[in-house]
Amino acid sequence: MVVPPALYLDGAIERIKALSPWRSWNIEMLLVNGGTVHHAASRAHLIEKVDLVGAFLYAGAARANPGYGREELILRNSPQRRAIPTANLISNNAGSHFFGNYLLDDFPLALLAENSDENISMVTKSYEHEPGYRELLSLRNAPLVQNARIEQLILYTDFAQNSLKASRYQVLRSRMQNKFAGATAKPGVYIKRGRTGELRALDNELEIEQLLDAVGFDIIEPARLSAEEIARRTLGAPIVVSVEGSHLSHAIFTVADGGAFLVLQPPDRFAMPYKEFTDRLEMRFAFLVGNKTTGGFMIPPNDVRRMLDRLM
């Protein structure tokens, strides 16, 4: 598919000092500049005679780590070990470790075999808002399996933003919209990162919040709100502004159709994963790159004003 360039101000690229350790320059610059992007297919893989032990899978000499936690081989001979004839695994490594990927990847993955009684999940990092979002989106939580011999296990390769992924995003977005039919959105929403996850301190955050509040944005801090409160306050927002990070996923099922993300980027941890999402759903993506400070970074308020003028 052909994707549009991101929106950014002159001099932004020159401010980038380093990328997130999970990203590469080739991918980021294609997303920045736009062009032709090739998305891998979603695939199901049937693996026979699999040992599921803690966070790991073993099949002969093969080994995979879809779950969260350390390797615990001793559990393989535990008397609590289950025997499972067939199963579909609907969790993956990225979602097991990062909240953003849990919503971006694991929730759509759950739709591939939504009504199956053979779905299982592996141990995942605890996410405070998971139960609330599952209820809002009518997604069952697959049984957790920590020690089992599985005769036939289906694994999914489903990381790419292909058309099948897009259709599942739309299903989840429709469910959320139907849950809060008639809600009225503000001109935009600012999602505070707070102190969750790896520290990316926006030193002049209060100044940015005051600017956004003055033009009617809702300022929310997910760590202080339930999933339902977050969804209600972000639903239909035409613009979502936030520091780059997993907390942006709070808006993927609620941002308005054709909406926009404005991501405030630390200069030493630049990353564009949410442009992959906005490109797939034909939304707009803008970013501002901050200036490094002793404790974090800062974004010039005038840069925010200029970008909002372009988006609004």
Side-chain angles (χ1 to χ4, degrees), residues 129-133 136 176 180 225-232:
H129 294 102
E130 176 203 353
Y133 280 127
L136 290 171
M176 190 70 84
F180 300 104
L225 301 172
S226 68
E228 181 173 349
E229 290 171 318
I230 297 166
R232 191 181 300 277

Side-chain angles (χ1 to χ4, degrees), residues 27-131:
I27 293 174
E28 301 306 77
M29 294 315 296
L30 175 56
L31 294 169
V32 168
N33 297 320
T36 301
V37 176
H38 300 281
H39 293 294
S42 295
R43 298 181 183 275
H45 310 275
L46 176 61
I47 314 295
E48 297 186 328
K49 302 188 183 308
V50 177
D51 289 309
L52 187 161
V53 185
F56 287 78
L57 298 175
Y58 307 89
R63 170 179 172 273
N65 176 212
Y68 176 75
R70 66 181 186 221
E71 200 164 13
E72 299 183 78
L73 289 174
I74 193 170
L75 291 177
R76 187 179 293 196
N77 297 315
S78 166
Q80 284 77 40
R81 190 162 183 253
R82 296 172 57 185
I84 300 177
T86 58
N88 301 308
L89 180 62
I90 56 169
S91 55
N92 68 76
N93 179 276
S96 296
H97 288 77
F98 302 105
F99 174 72
N101 292 96
Y102 192 73
L103 296 190
L104 281 165
D105 298 325
D106 285 44
F107 275 21
L109 179 60
L111 295 181
L112 285 177
E114 184 176 17
N115 298 315
S116 172
D117 292 328
E118 297 179 341
N119 291 341
I120 64 170
S121 64
M122 294 179 67
V123 62
T124 294
K125 192 174 181 179
S126 178
Y127 303 124
E128 176 186 359
H129 294 102
E130 176 203 353

Side-chain angles (χ1 to χ4, degrees), residues 186-225:
K186 289 193 171 186
V189 61
Y190 177 73
I191 301 177
K192 291 171 65 74
R193 179 173 173 81
R195 296 284 165 173
T196 58
E198 186 163 336
L199 184 62
R200 292 166 215 176
L202 178 59
D203 286 355
N204 64 329
E205 184 171 48
L206 179 58
E207 189 177 20
I208 301 302
E209 289 178 19
Q210 290 171 339
L211 184 160
L212 294 171
D213 180 67
V215 295
F217 274 55
D218 192 3
I219 313 298
I220 71 167
E221 186 171 358
R224 298 178 180 272
L225 301 172

Side-chain angles (χ1 to χ4, degrees), residues 129-142:
H129 294 102
E130 176 203 353
Y133 280 127
R134 283 194 176 276
E135 183 176 352
L136 290 171
L137 295 167
S138 301
L139 283 178
R140 289 189 301 168
N141 199 357

